[in-house]
Amino acid sequence: MTLKKPTASTPAPGVPYYTPAQNPPAGTALDTGAQVPTLFTPLKLRDLTLQNRFAVSPMCTYSADDGHLTDWHLVHLGAFALRGAALTIVEATAVTPNGRISPEDSGLWQDSQIAPLRRIADFVHSQGHKIAVQLAHAGRKGSTLGPWHVVPGRHEVATPDVGGWPDNLWAPSAIPWDEGYPTPKEITVAEIESLVRAFADAARRAVQAGVDAIEIHAAHGYLISEFLSPISNVQRTDEYGGSFENRVRILLDVVRAVRAAIPEGMPLLVRISATEWMEYTGGPSWDLAQSKRLAPLLADLGVDLLDVSSGGNNPRQKIELHPYFQIDMAAEIRAELRRAGRSSMAIGAVGLVTNAEMARSVVQADGSLAGRQDGTVEVDGEHGTKTKADLVLVARQFLREPEFVLKTAALLGVNVQGPVQYHRAPLKKEHL
């Protein structure tokens, strides 16, 4: 559908309905120069340019209809782009039906799931921003209930009477997630090959839906993460088990397949758990040292950004929690990549980013105090201004404050564009 009557506003390009163009998009710094913090400068990944360094981290909402996104997702995800998030990543999206976490998870295993995703992509693009989708397989953590259905003290398994598939879970080894959970099936080499094809097919569907980037989910104890870990991948004797090279093979296979399935100019992201927080046992586990070893392999295969999270593969994990508990690991991987000459792969950091100064400090260019325009913004004494990552991925704080980008700009004294329709209600520091 095209606009059929004159309007003083320029229509947003490339969308099938009229809405005013956001030129520049919300969250774009209107001033330039040394006083603009890195957080509000563009980031280029292949042919994709983000207006600022904020990304909406993929967050499961357990609200899809047989894998199809709905108007819930349009409103939920659209709110972030409307208010200035440069990149919005759609929640974990299963590449096969048994790859869902819950019966209500998003999916891209069939063509009918393309159109609902395209509708959301069109809206995000109408706001001048970008959208990605996280492709995933839940492995042994599949067939569980949405979290608000869980009765305290009882397990979370979704049984067949509520659409679950507890008898059809895949894992590298036949080891259940925890007591009371189903024992998964040890996935065969033939099934691994079909899984790799499923990731590639889902990536092609995402491209048809108009997304701007793809993220592969290799974190949080889901199937690929299970293969990486010597705790959950302990029984295999084939080329996908045992040594580090064998345990990372499935991820490298998926990266190659997805990279080949998407346009050359489209960025490819991978999320990993930098550690599974099981070092305290003294036994083998996935840890930061192996993540540092993995990172250059991903860079060499054409991964453009490594999204660094942690944990999720063992219920007995012991997280060393502090505000920078994941960001510091991202910084170490970033530094290691640069020492290895792989600086072309960017790093994304996530975890407990809840305020303006923390968001600024994560990506601020080394040694710069840009953005500190009054006495209210302080440089963190321990962490300083050394660059830790290239992109800030924010999760729960966006749920609390969809306007987090605009609020951060106001607190840091950065003059940014807001949504044109909200011109009468600019967000200023005195409002906070």
Side-chain angles (χ1 to χ4, degrees):
M1 183 176 70
T2 59
L3 184 67
K4 297 187 181 300
K5 61 181 180 180
T7 175
S9 296
T10 300
V15 295
Y17 49 84
Y18 169 73
T19 188
Q22 307 285 338
N23 189 21
T28 302
L30 297 178
D31 302 322
T32 59
Q35 290 305 305
V36 177
T38 307
L39 187 61
F40 286 96
T41 61
L43 176 65
K44 185 173 175 60
L45 301 170
R46 295 197 184 233
D47 292 347
L48 182 67
T49 298
L50 305 179
Q51 295 297 113
N52 56 49
R53 304 300 181 95
F54 286 94
V56 179
S57 192
M59 294 176 280
C60 292
T61 60
Y62 311 99
S63 300
D65 181 4
D66 190 28
H68 298 78
L69 301 177
T70 70
D71 285 358
W72 150 260
H73 300 92
L74 175 66
V75 175
H76 163 63
L77 296 170
F80 308 127
L82 171 66
R83 293 168 174 83
L87 179 66
T88 299
I89 307 179
V90 178
E91 63 194 73
T93 296
V95 299
T96 64
N98 77 338
R100 291 170 292 169
I101 303 167
S102 80
E104 293 82 24
D105 274 24
S106 170
L108 268 178
W109 66 79
Q110 57 186 343
D111 288 351
S112 61
Q113 293 158 341
I114 296 172
L117 177 57
R118 174 172 285 281
R119 187 165 181 240
I120 297 167
D122 283 343
F123 180 82
V124 171
H125 292 155
S126 78
Q127 303 307 299
H129 288 307
K130 309 301 180 184
I131 184 169
V133 62
Q134 184 187 68
L135 301 181
H137 193 290
R140 65 179 182 172
K141 294 177 76 175
S143 192
T144 58
L145 297 170
W148 56 85
H149 297 300
V150 177
V151 177
R154 295 179 59 186
H155 61 69
E156 305 171 356
V157 177
T159 51
D161 59 303
V162 293
W165 53 99
D167 295 330
N168 187 28
L169 300 179
W170 285 348
S173 300
I175 302 171
W177 157 246
D178 198 5
E179 294 181 9
Y181 287 81
T183 299
K185 172 187 175 183
E186 182 173 308
I187 186 173
T188 67
V189 171
E191 287 166 337
I192 289 173
E193 292 170 350
S194 73
L195 176 73
V196 172
R197 290 193 297 271
F199 268 94
D201 290 343
R204 293 186 189 96
R205 293 186 183 101
V207 172
Q208 292 179 52
V211 306
D212 303 290
I214 302 290
E215 178 168 272
I216 297 168
H217 198 353
H220 300 165
Y222 299 120
L223 184 59
I224 295 178
S225 177
E226 293 164 20
F227 268 91
L228 299 181
S229 169
I231 294 177
S232 48
N233 185 357
V234 68
Q235 297 171 348
R236 300 190 76 93
T237 57
D238 61 13
E239 64 268 38
Y240 291 96
S243 67
F244 170 87
E245 291 79 10
N246 284 357
R247 287 183 283 111
V248 304
R249 190 182 306 277
I250 190 170
L251 173 55
L252 303 187
D253 287 350
V254 169
V255 167
R256 291 187 190 96
V258 172
R259 183 74 267 172
I262 64 178
E264 177 65 26
M266 176 177 284
L268 178 58
L269 292 59
V270 171
R271 170 166 277 194
I272 64 167
S273 286
T275 175
E276 57 186 330
W277 298 108
M278 295 294 289
E279 293 90 342
Y280 76 93
T281 67
S285 66
W286 184 262
D287 56 18
L288 180 58
Q290 290 172 89
S291 292
K292 290 179 180 179
R293 189 175 172 187
L294 172 65
L297 302 180
L298 297 176
D300 290 345
L301 291 179
V303 173
D304 301 289
L305 184 139
L306 188 64
D307 175 358
V308 180
S309 187
S310 72
N313 193 44
N314 197 295
R316 284 161 285 283
Q317 65 187 16
K318 290 186 178 180
I319 299 176
E320 299 172 10
L321 193 64
H322 60 85
Y324 287 81
F325 79 111
Q326 290 178 160
I327 294 167
D328 284 345
M329 289 188 289
E332 287 195 44
I333 293 172
R334 187 177 187 272
E336 186 69 24
L337 282 167
R338 276 143 185 76
R339 283 192 291 269
R342 307 308 205 284
S343 59
S344 61
M345 186 167 75
I347 294 293
V350 65
L352 301 184
V353 178
T354 59
N355 61 71
E357 173 53 26
M358 189 171 180
R360 185 203 67 84
S361 72
V362 171
V363 298
Q364 187 60 41
D366 289 353
S368 172
L369 295 182
R372 186 182 178 187
Q373 298 182 23
D374 58 46
T376 64
V377 177
E378 298 294 335
V379 176
D380 182 274
E382 177 184 351
H383 299 275
T385 58
K386 185 175 180 60
T387 305
K388 300 166 187 62
D390 305 283
L391 186 69
V392 179
L393 292 107
V394 179
R396 295 177 191 180
Q397 197 61 26
F398 268 129
L399 301 184
R400 301 181 187 104
E401 298 180 305
E403 71 283 356
F404 185 61
V405 175
L406 302 179
K407 178 180 177 180
T408 296
L411 289 172
L412 294 178
V414 182
N415 182 25
V416 299
Q417 177 68 38
V420 295
Q421 298 97 326
Y422 293 2
H423 71 283
R424 292 183 177 178
L427 191 59
K428 297 183 178 180
K429 191 172 182 179
E430 56 264 31
H431 302 141
L432 302 174

